[in-house]
Amino acid sequence: VVQIGSGEMNIRFEIDGEMALPSGLETGKQYQVVVAKEGVEKPVADFKIALRDVTKTEGIRLPLSKINLQGLKEYSGTGEKKGVEQQKGDAGSCEVKIKTDTVGPNSQVTTVTTARSTITKSDRLGSELQSPQGLATLPGSECDGEAEGVIESKIESIASGASAEESTRLPAVNPHENMAELEKTDKKKHSQMKSRIAEDIKEIAAAIGKASVSNLARKKKKRDLRRENKWIEMKKYLEKNHRWPSQRQLKERIRKGIPQSLRGYTWLRLLGADRKIASHKGLYSKLSCIGKPEGNPEPFRTIDKDVPRTFPENHFLHGEKDSKSSAAERLREVLYAYVHYDKQVQYCQGMNLVAAFLMISCPFQNEEVFWMLERLCHHPDYALQNLYGPQLELAFEFEYVLKKLLKSYLPKLSKALTKADEKCPMLPFGSINVFAPKWVISLWSIVPANCAVRIWDIFFNEGHKMLYRVALYVLKHCQKDLLAKADDKSLDGGDYLEALSRLQKASYINSLEIWKDEDVCIQGILKLTSGLKNSKISTYKKKFWKAKKKKQLELEMGQNRRKHQK
């Protein structure tokens, strides 16, 4: 029982329908608080609270929307303060002390603070953020000290502003009175107050978001350190036993990402370039000393044109243009040496991107880059000599297989592209031919580096399948735009061709939202194509070569027929 003015009020705590004494309140439980006039059954206020902490004196805020303050004021009388103490520094609350009947060391005094304004901590955070009261200071909160300080200081400024700007405060409203009373409120001041609250809440939310991001960064750093330790153990095993612990374990850990500190070491050994270096000592030095022949013949002339255009915005590659030891000059040396080494392939546009990305992504020596390029061209798992050769056979094979895979994974897009190919005479080789060669020739080095290295991690271990996976993932996220442009009107107006042309531009591919987080990107790629098997890709490849031989045979027969007719 609490004495308020000339009247008495009952304030009791209930849990599961039973009354609980203040001395027995427990942290973390939710209580029903009932405020009623002595001897009157109907309560003045009835609301729920959840205690974060219970001390000998605990402040509990009763929001305006939960309690009828006018009902309390009628018992206190004008100017009377008996049994009621006005809290200093908070013009929007009154303090009521509740004493328990328990006597002894466990007796407590619980303070109930009733909020009289919508500009208080609990009311503002509860109404604007729509989140639990006291979010920033709850135990176990992810906010760091800096964010908590920002939130607390903002709350203090709100409280002080409420005291200083009494004229902007909305009057207390009896919920049982006619709602027409609300129309008397100054709407302009009301909107100004709401605007100010919204701005303050944005700052609080930004501080909470910043703390959440920093916490995620800390977790990611711990995770990366844990993975790096596992890779160090794998490295020790490899050096001792000359083989990886198990292919399944290697595949799982590569898909999660090779640590940057061990990426170069791992790439060399996945490609087998380390064995080539050991068995061909001194060969690269001899090739690099030959240099460019007199007269600047092909393909040296093309190399000289392509080197400055290779990742032109990369500072590492083009930062020291006048230095002979710059990355661009090192790239030129590697490509010259490869022309002298591989008389069949020599050089093809796209090799510059692959060699340059190897230099950018890891601190490789020129000789290591040279032999990795050689392994990519001649190792049977990659066989890029068919891609960079004069016939570009692997590029056409990639288009054929990708077109078949679209039917399984993106059937709507596949139908739209097929229909457009039939209606558009400007696409003699089909829609996919516009962008697919650029994708496969660059081995996806044109995407942001954080995702490109992860794609190459998997490509070096699993082969061509990863190139198809990424292509399907990119087309899935461009599907909506392509479907919108594949109608008859867009075909006639050239919008469809423009949409296809964008897909071959590195700037457009880089601008896609899918590359922001490399972990999310790789998970999305693998999830979309989880059922893709090497056997399926091999079947489509065999069909491609069979169709090509048949077409070539028909072409030869037609030529012979024309000769006989002549």
Side-chain angles (χ1 to χ4, degrees), residues 376-401:
L376 286 171
C377 287
H378 295 283
H379 194 288
D381 290 344
Y382 316 107
L384 297 187
Q385 76 272 15
N386 295 326
L387 176 64
Y388 297 132
Q391 303 299 324
L392 298 176
E393 293 173 337
L394 188 59
F396 291 109
E397 178 191 88
F398 181 81
E399 290 177 33
Y400 180 89
V401 176

mmCIF file of all heavy atoms in Angstrom, residues 376-401:
data_model
loop_
_atom_site.group_PDB
_atom_site.id
_atom_site.type_symbol
_atom_site.label_atom_id
_atom_site.label_comp_id
_atom_site.label_asym_id
_atom_site.label_seq_id
_atom_site.Cartn_x
_atom_site.Cartn_y
_atom_site.Cartn_z
ATOM 1 N N LEU A 376 48.856 -24.615 -66.739
ATOM 2 C CA LEU A 376 47.473 -24.348 -67.118
ATOM 3 C C LEU A 376 47.218 -24.693 -68.583
ATOM 4 O O LEU A 376 46.130 -25.152 -68.943
ATOM 5 C CB LEU A 376 47.139 -22.868 -66.867
ATOM 6 C CG LEU A 376 46.940 -22.454 -65.411
ATOM 7 C CD1 LEU A 376 46.849 -20.938 -65.289
ATOM 8 C CD2 LEU A 376 45.681 -23.094 -64.832
ATOM 9 N N CYS A 377 48.220 -24.496 -69.411
ATOM 10 C CA CYS A 377 48.062 -24.779 -70.840
ATOM 11 C C CYS A 377 48.178 -26.263 -71.161
ATOM 12 O O CYS A 377 47.454 -26.774 -72.024
ATOM 13 C CB CYS A 377 49.092 -23.989 -71.650
ATOM 14 S SG CYS A 377 48.727 -22.221 -71.754
ATOM 15 N N HIS A 378 49.066 -26.972 -70.479
ATOM 16 C CA HIS A 378 49.396 -28.343 -70.887
ATOM 17 C C HIS A 378 48.981 -29.428 -69.903
ATOM 18 O O HIS A 378 49.076 -30.614 -70.240
ATOM 19 C CB HIS A 378 50.902 -28.446 -71.158
ATOM 20 C CG HIS A 378 51.345 -27.615 -72.329
ATOM 21 N ND1 HIS A 378 51.130 -27.991 -73.635
ATOM 22 C CD2 HIS A 378 51.963 -26.409 -72.382
ATOM 23 C CE1 HIS A 378 51.596 -27.071 -74.453
ATOM 24 N NE2 HIS A 378 52.116 -26.090 -73.722
ATOM 25 N N HIS A 379 48.571 -29.079 -68.711
ATOM 26 C CA HIS A 379 48.078 -30.099 -67.782
ATOM 27 C C HIS A 379 46.710 -30.583 -68.274
ATOM 28 O O HIS A 379 45.854 -29.783 -68.646
ATOM 29 C CB HIS A 379 47.963 -29.523 -66.372
ATOM 30 C CG HIS A 379 47.792 -30.565 -65.312
ATOM 31 N ND1 HIS A 379 46.614 -31.266 -65.155
ATOM 32 C CD2 HIS A 379 48.646 -31.040 -64.362
ATOM 33 C CE1 HIS A 379 46.737 -32.111 -64.139
ATOM 34 N NE2 HIS A 379 47.966 -32.001 -63.650
ATOM 35 N N PRO A 380 46.457 -31.903 -68.297
ATOM 36 C CA PRO A 380 45.189 -32.416 -68.836
ATOM 37 C C PRO A 380 43.951 -31.939 -68.083
ATOM 38 O O PRO A 380 42.852 -31.922 -68.657
ATOM 39 C CB PRO A 380 45.351 -33.944 -68.737
ATOM 40 C CG PRO A 380 46.458 -34.166 -67.744
ATOM 41 C CD PRO A 380 47.371 -32.997 -67.880
ATOM 42 N N ASP A 381 44.083 -31.561 -66.817
ATOM 43 C CA ASP A 381 42.923 -31.090 -66.060
ATOM 44 C C ASP A 381 42.474 -29.698 -66.484
ATOM 45 O O ASP A 381 41.347 -29.287 -66.175
ATOM 46 C CB ASP A 381 43.232 -31.078 -64.555
ATOM 47 C CG ASP A 381 43.340 -32.480 -63.983
ATOM 48 O OD1 ASP A 381 42.889 -33.426 -64.659
ATOM 49 O OD2 ASP A 381 43.884 -32.637 -62.879
ATOM 50 N N TYR A 382 43.358 -28.947 -67.161
ATOM 51 C CA TYR A 382 43.031 -27.577 -67.562
ATOM 52 C C TYR A 382 43.072 -27.422 -69.087
ATOM 53 O O TYR A 382 42.165 -26.854 -69.681
ATOM 54 C CB TYR A 382 43.995 -26.578 -66.904
ATOM 55 C CG TYR A 382 44.226 -26.878 -65.441
ATOM 56 C CD1 TYR A 382 45.435 -27.416 -64.987
ATOM 57 C CD2 TYR A 382 43.225 -26.651 -64.508
ATOM 58 C CE1 TYR A 382 45.635 -27.705 -63.659
ATOM 59 C CE2 TYR A 382 43.416 -26.940 -63.161
ATOM 60 C CZ TYR A 382 44.633 -27.471 -62.744
ATOM 61 O OH TYR A 382 44.833 -27.764 -61.425
ATOM 62 N N ALA A 383 44.128 -27.921 -69.710
ATOM 63 C CA ALA A 383 44.251 -27.987 -71.181
ATOM 64 C C ALA A 383 43.902 -26.672 -71.866
ATOM 65 O O ALA A 383 43.141 -26.629 -72.831
ATOM 66 C CB ALA A 383 43.369 -29.120 -71.730
ATOM 67 N N LEU A 384 44.446 -25.567 -71.352
ATOM 68 C CA LEU A 384 44.124 -24.266 -71.930
ATOM 69 C C LEU A 384 44.825 -24.010 -73.258
ATOM 70 O O LEU A 384 44.599 -22.972 -73.884
ATOM 71 C CB LEU A 384 44.481 -23.150 -70.935
ATOM 72 C CG LEU A 384 43.717 -23.156 -69.608
ATOM 73 C CD1 LEU A 384 44.041 -21.907 -68.818
ATOM 74 C CD2 LEU A 384 42.214 -23.278 -69.818
ATOM 75 N N GLN A 385 45.687 -24.943 -73.717
ATOM 76 C CA GLN A 385 46.264 -24.768 -75.047
ATOM 77 C C GLN A 385 45.177 -24.799 -76.112
ATOM 78 O O GLN A 385 45.306 -24.189 -77.174
ATOM 79 C CB GLN A 385 47.337 -25.843 -75.328
ATOM 80 C CG GLN A 385 46.808 -27.222 -75.667
ATOM 81 C CD GLN A 385 46.587 -28.064 -74.428
ATOM 82 O OE1 GLN A 385 46.556 -27.556 -73.318
ATOM 83 N NE2 GLN A 385 46.465 -29.376 -74.616
ATOM 84 N N ASN A 386 44.056 -25.505 -75.818
ATOM 85 C CA ASN A 386 42.920 -25.509 -76.742
ATOM 86 C C ASN A 386 42.116 -24.206 -76.669
ATOM 87 O O ASN A 386 41.362 -23.891 -77.582
ATOM 88 C CB ASN A 386 41.992 -26.687 -76.430
ATOM 89 C CG ASN A 386 42.659 -28.021 -76.686
ATOM 90 O OD1 ASN A 386 43.471 -28.149 -77.605
ATOM 91 N ND2 ASN A 386 42.350 -29.019 -75.865
ATOM 92 N N LEU A 387 42.289 -23.487 -75.554
ATOM 93 C CA LEU A 387 41.606 -22.206 -75.407
ATOM 94 C C LEU A 387 42.414 -21.078 -76.041
ATOM 95 O O LEU A 387 41.862 -20.202 -76.711
ATOM 96 C CB LEU A 387 41.377 -21.904 -73.920
ATOM 97 C CG LEU A 387 40.762 -20.554 -73.565
ATOM 98 C CD1 LEU A 387 39.349 -20.440 -74.133
ATOM 99 C CD2 LEU A 387 40.732 -20.357 -72.055
ATOM 100 N N TYR A 388 43.713 -21.118 -75.826
ATOM 101 C CA TYR A 388 44.583 -20.057 -76.327
ATOM 102 C C TYR A 388 45.199 -20.384 -77.687
ATOM 103 O O TYR A 388 45.976 -19.599 -78.218
ATOM 104 C CB TYR A 388 45.692 -19.777 -75.310
ATOM 105 C CG TYR A 388 45.173 -19.271 -73.987
ATOM 106 C CD1 TYR A 388 45.615 -19.830 -72.785
ATOM 107 C CD2 TYR A 388 44.237 -18.254 -73.937
ATOM 108 C CE1 TYR A 388 45.136 -19.362 -71.574
ATOM 109 C CE2 TYR A 388 43.752 -17.788 -72.729
ATOM 110 C CZ TYR A 388 44.211 -18.348 -71.546
ATOM 111 O OH TYR A 388 43.728 -17.889 -70.350
ATOM 112 N N GLY A 389 44.880 -21.562 -78.222
ATOM 113 C CA GLY A 389 45.385 -21.940 -79.547
ATOM 114 C C GLY A 389 44.709 -21.150 -80.646
ATOM 115 O O GLY A 389 43.736 -20.411 -80.419
ATOM 116 N N PRO A 390 45.166 -21.298 -81.877
ATOM 117 C CA PRO A 390 44.638 -20.487 -82.998
ATOM 118 C C PRO A 390 43.173 -20.753 -83.299
ATOM 119 O O PRO A 390 42.476 -19.890 -83.820
ATOM 120 C CB PRO A 390 45.535 -20.892 -84.176
ATOM 121 C CG PRO A 390 46.127 -22.210 -83.799
ATOM 122 C CD PRO A 390 46.262 -22.197 -82.317
ATOM 123 N N GLN A 391 42.654 -21.955 -82.991
ATOM 124 C CA GLN A 391 41.263 -22.291 -83.304
ATOM 125 C C GLN A 391 40.275 -21.938 -82.182
ATOM 126 O O GLN A 391 39.061 -22.004 -82.399
ATOM 127 C CB GLN A 391 41.153 -23.799 -83.605
ATOM 128 C CG GLN A 391 42.046 -24.273 -84.723
ATOM 129 C CD GLN A 391 41.738 -23.589 -86.044
ATOM 130 O OE1 GLN A 391 40.585 -23.305 -86.357
ATOM 131 N NE2 GLN A 391 42.777 -23.314 -86.827
ATOM 132 N N LEU A 392 40.788 -21.605 -80.995
ATOM 133 C CA LEU A 392 39.933 -21.272 -79.841
ATOM 134 C C LEU A 392 38.870 -22.346 -79.591
ATOM 135 O O LEU A 392 37.702 -22.054 -79.307
ATOM 136 C CB LEU A 392 39.256 -19.910 -80.047
ATOM 137 C CG LEU A 392 40.180 -18.695 -80.180
ATOM 138 C CD1 LEU A 392 39.364 -17.453 -80.474
ATOM 139 C CD2 LEU A 392 41.009 -18.492 -78.925
ATOM 140 N N GLU A 393 39.286 -23.618 -79.725
ATOM 141 C CA GLU A 393 38.321 -24.712 -79.641
ATOM 142 C C GLU A 393 37.651 -24.794 -78.274
ATOM 143 O O GLU A 393 36.451 -25.070 -78.178
ATOM 144 C CB GLU A 393 39.023 -26.033 -79.963
ATOM 145 C CG GLU A 393 39.494 -26.116 -81.415
ATOM 146 C CD GLU A 393 40.325 -27.360 -81.667
ATOM 147 O OE1 GLU A 393 40.886 -27.895 -80.687
ATOM 148 O OE2 GLU A 393 40.407 -27.794 -82.823
ATOM 149 N N LEU A 394 38.403 -24.540 -77.209
ATOM 150 C CA LEU A 394 37.833 -24.643 -75.870
ATOM 151 C C LEU A 394 36.785 -23.557 -75.620
ATOM 152 O O LEU A 394 35.827 -23.777 -74.874
ATOM 153 C CB LEU A 394 38.948 -24.536 -74.817
ATOM 154 C CG LEU A 394 38.533 -24.818 -73.368
ATOM 155 C CD1 LEU A 394 37.968 -26.218 -73.240
ATOM 156 C CD2 LEU A 394 39.705 -24.639 -72.421
ATOM 157 N N ALA A 395 36.935 -22.404 -76.246
ATOM 158 C CA ALA A 395 35.946 -21.334 -76.102
ATOM 159 C C ALA A 395 34.604 -21.763 -76.696
ATOM 160 O O ALA A 395 33.540 -21.539 -76.100
ATOM 161 C CB ALA A 395 36.438 -20.055 -76.773
ATOM 162 N N PHE A 396 34.643 -22.396 -77.879
ATOM 163 C CA PHE A 396 33.406 -22.888 -78.491
ATOM 164 C C PHE A 396 32.814 -24.049 -77.695
ATOM 165 O O PHE A 396 31.596 -24.191 -77.587
ATOM 166 C CB PHE A 396 33.673 -23.317 -79.940
ATOM 167 C CG PHE A 396 33.970 -22.164 -80.860
ATOM 168 C CD1 PHE A 396 35.244 -21.967 -81.364
ATOM 169 C CD2 PHE A 396 32.977 -21.268 -81.215
ATOM 170 C CE1 PHE A 396 35.528 -20.903 -82.210
ATOM 171 C CE2 PHE A 396 33.241 -20.197 -82.065
ATOM 172 C CZ PHE A 396 34.528 -20.011 -82.555
ATOM 173 N N GLU A 397 33.694 -24.882 -77.153
ATOM 174 C CA GLU A 397 33.225 -25.980 -76.305
ATOM 175 C C GLU A 397 32.522 -25.434 -75.064
ATOM 176 O O GLU A 397 31.469 -25.935 -74.656
ATOM 177 C CB GLU A 397 34.412 -26.852 -75.895
ATOM 178 C CG GLU A 397 34.049 -28.005 -74.967
ATOM 179 C CD GLU A 397 35.279 -28.676 -74.391
ATOM 180 O OE1 GLU A 397 35.767 -28.225 -73.327
ATOM 181 O OE2 GLU A 397 35.765 -29.647 -74.993
ATOM 182 N N PHE A 398 33.090 -24.394 -74.452
ATOM 183 C CA PHE A 398 32.503 -23.762 -73.262
ATOM 184 C C PHE A 398 31.108 -23.227 -73.575
ATOM 185 O O PHE A 398 30.166 -23.410 -72.787
ATOM 186 C CB PHE A 398 33.422 -22.640 -72.782
ATOM 187 C CG PHE A 398 32.929 -21.927 -71.558
ATOM 188 C CD1 PHE A 398 33.131 -22.466 -70.298
ATOM 189 C CD2 PHE A 398 32.245 -20.721 -71.655
ATOM 190 C CE1 PHE A 398 32.674 -21.812 -69.161
ATOM 191 C CE2 PHE A 398 31.790 -20.063 -70.530
ATOM 192 C CZ PHE A 398 32.007 -20.614 -69.282
ATOM 193 N N GLU A 399 30.950 -22.585 -74.714
ATOM 194 C CA GLU A 399 29.647 -22.057 -75.122
ATOM 195 C C GLU A 399 28.619 -23.183 -75.269
ATOM 196 O O GLU A 399 27.480 -23.076 -74.794
ATOM 197 C CB GLU A 399 29.768 -21.318 -76.454
ATOM 198 C CG GLU A 399 30.532 -20.011 -76.397
ATOM 199 C CD GLU A 399 30.649 -19.394 -77.776
ATOM 200 O OE1 GLU A 399 29.713 -19.555 -78.581
ATOM 201 O OE2 GLU A 399 31.680 -18.755 -78.061
ATOM 202 N N TYR A 400 29.029 -24.260 -75.929
ATOM 203 C CA TYR A 400 28.118 -25.377 -76.185
ATOM 204 C C TYR A 400 27.651 -26.002 -74.875
ATOM 205 O O TYR A 400 26.446 -26.226 -74.664
ATOM 206 C CB TYR A 400 28.818 -26.422 -77.056
ATOM 207 C CG TYR A 400 27.976 -27.625 -77.400
ATOM 208 C CD1 TYR A 400 27.166 -27.632 -78.527
ATOM 209 C CD2 TYR A 400 27.993 -28.765 -76.599
ATOM 210 C CE1 TYR A 400 26.387 -28.738 -78.849
ATOM 211 C CE2 TYR A 400 27.215 -29.874 -76.899
ATOM 212 C CZ TYR A 400 26.421 -29.857 -78.030
ATOM 213 O OH TYR A 400 25.650 -30.950 -78.335
ATOM 214 N N VAL A 401 28.596 -26.271 -73.981
ATOM 215 C CA VAL A 401 28.254 -26.918 -72.702
ATOM 216 C C VAL A 401 27.405 -25.991 -71.844
ATOM 217 O O VAL A 401 26.426 -26.415 -71.214
ATOM 218 C CB VAL A 401 29.536 -27.340 -71.950
ATOM 219 C CG1 VAL A 401 29.189 -27.914 -70.576
ATOM 220 C CG2 VAL A 401 30.318 -28.364 -72.766
#
